Amino acid sequence: QRLILVMNDITTLKQLERMRKEFVANVSHELKTPITSIKGFVETLLDGAIDDRENAFRFLTIVQNQTTRLGNIIDDLLTLSRLEQNDEESGISMEKIPLCHPVNEAISICQGRADEKSIDIHVECDRELEILGNGHLIEQAVVNLVDNAVKYCPEGSVVLVRCEREEDRRILLVVQDNGPGIPEADQERIFERFYRVEKARSRDMGGTGLGLAIVKHIMLLHGGTVALESSRGEGASFLLRFPALPS
Ligand code: ADP
């Protein structure tokens, strides 16, 4: 029996090692892509393109966008590593807060991007719904979900953010959109770091591929869960569930 236990430990260690290697390979690739692009455009500029004002402007705009992309990836990686540290080291504090506070903050952060696509964000969140949580982190989770909804939905859509108390007293927060949805085959992997349904499309839209992994970690830290209900072409609903406050 002890031998079986040791074998199980070795299998787990091997799996962890494989995941670590995969992650390092992914990070390197994700960082290398914008760096290669920046290097190429800077070289073209130095080779003479800088004399043509119109082209120079176009190339420098690409360099600027790729630099922003690099910054976003690094910010998201730092957030993830902070979330993975244990409570004392990370300095993340939890308090009793009305869920509507971080929700409303998040909506106001996303409003500008929604307006650009004439997307209407509809919010239903009662003040009396309270959770034990970290306002900044909940705000970030909601920003990530609403930002995705806005990014992947067509112009003129409606994004619904709804909060309610469930029968078992857990608090449910739903971010629902009527966009392209997520095919069933991808749903299990969607919360993994750097996993995207369409890599090129996500990159073009400025995505880092880390947004949902961050949401999942934030919910773990709150003793809650995240679930997805979606089918291709019929929109997506992300469901965050927070534990009930002790009465
Ligand atoms: P990204 O930065 O690429 O948006 P995320 O981790 O936030 O990374 O999301 C992972 C992938 O899940 C996205 O690339 C996209 O393919 C898919 N996705 C996330 N949210 C939605 C949504 N609301 N509608 C359709 N697809 C989505």
Side-chain angles (χ1 to χ4, degrees):
Q1 198 158 5
R2 191 178 288 165
L3 185 65
I4 294 174
L5 277 176
V6 173
M7 292 302 276
N8 278 345
D9 283 351
I10 293 174
T11 316
T12 313
L13 277 175
K14 277 190 177 157
Q15 272 171 355
L16 282 173
E17 182 58 11
R18 187 180 49 76
M19 280 165 68
R20 192 192 63 79
K21 280 188 179 152
E22 222 174 82
F23 179 63
V24 173
N26 276 336
V27 172
S28 313
H29 177 74
E30 295 290 336
L31 294 177
K32 211 163 163 68
T33 313
I35 288 175
T36 307
S37 159
I38 292 170
K39 193 162 178 275
F41 283 105
V42 169
E43 275 168 11
T44 315
L45 283 163
L46 290 174
D47 280 348
I50 199 152
D51 296 328
D52 173 354
R53 216 181 137 74
E54 205 173 304
N55 263 337
F57 186 80
R58 202 160 55 84
F59 293 165
L60 283 171
T61 308
I62 298 174
V63 169
Q64 187 185 37
N65 289 341
Q66 295 297 333
T67 316
T68 306
R69 206 171 119 64
L70 274 177
N72 289 343
I73 296 174
I74 290 165
D75 282 347
D76 280 357
L77 285 171
L78 286 174
T79 303
L80 271 175
S81 89
R82 187 169 153 240
L83 290 170
E84 274 175 349
Q85 284 172 354
N86 65 40
D87 291 356
E88 282 122 59
E89 283 172 46
S90 65
I92 294 169
S93 59
M94 300 280 189
E95 52 187 351
K96 197 166 119 178
I97 49 167
L99 184 54
C100 65
H101 284 180
V103 166
N104 289 334
E105 281 293 325
I107 307 296
S108 58
I109 291 172
C110 300
Q111 196 63 57
R113 292 185 282 269
D115 290 345
E116 281 171 22
K117 287 180 77 176
S118 307
I119 288 176
D120 186 20
I121 307 176
H122 193 84
V123 191
E124 290 170 21
C125 189
D126 205 291
R127 253 203 77 86
E128 54 118 41
L129 296 173
E130 287 185 318
I131 57 156
L132 185 65
N134 179 289
H136 295 294
L137 293 180
I138 304 296
E139 179 188 306
Q140 165 136 39
V142 179
V143 165
N144 287 5
L145 294 179
V146 175
D147 245 357
N148 276 350
V150 169
K151 246 183 347 192
Y152 298 110
C153 276
E155 298 223 347
S157 312
V158 176
V159 173
L160 177 64
V161 182
R162 181 170 54 82
C163 307
E164 65 180 46
R165 193 187 309 276
E166 294 190 297
E167 266 173 33
D168 60 7
R169 296 190 51 254
R170 281 190 299 175
I171 306 288
L172 170 68
L173 187 161
V174 186
V175 178
Q176 185 181 354
D177 67 57
N178 56 356
I182 295 158
E184 213 159 308
D186 296 298
Q187 289 185 13
E188 213 177 302
R189 301 199 60 192
I190 206 85
F191 295 97
E192 290 175 20
R193 293 155 195 215
F194 298 119
Y195 189 84
R196 294 127 158 161
V197 179
E198 292 173 64
K199 261 194 186 305
R201 194 157 146 251
S202 149
R203 286 216 187 97
D204 287 349
M205 294 188 171
T208 61
L210 294 170
L212 290 179
I214 291 177
V215 173
K216 185 176 157 191
H217 265 82
I218 291 176
M219 290 314 290
L220 278 174
L221 213 74
H222 284 81
T225 59
V226 53
L228 163 65
E229 287 174 2
S230 176
S231 49
R232 198 193 272 281
E234 294 195 12
S237 292
F238 286 89
L239 293 83
L240 307 186
R241 285 192 169 88
F242 296 90
L245 280 180
S247 46

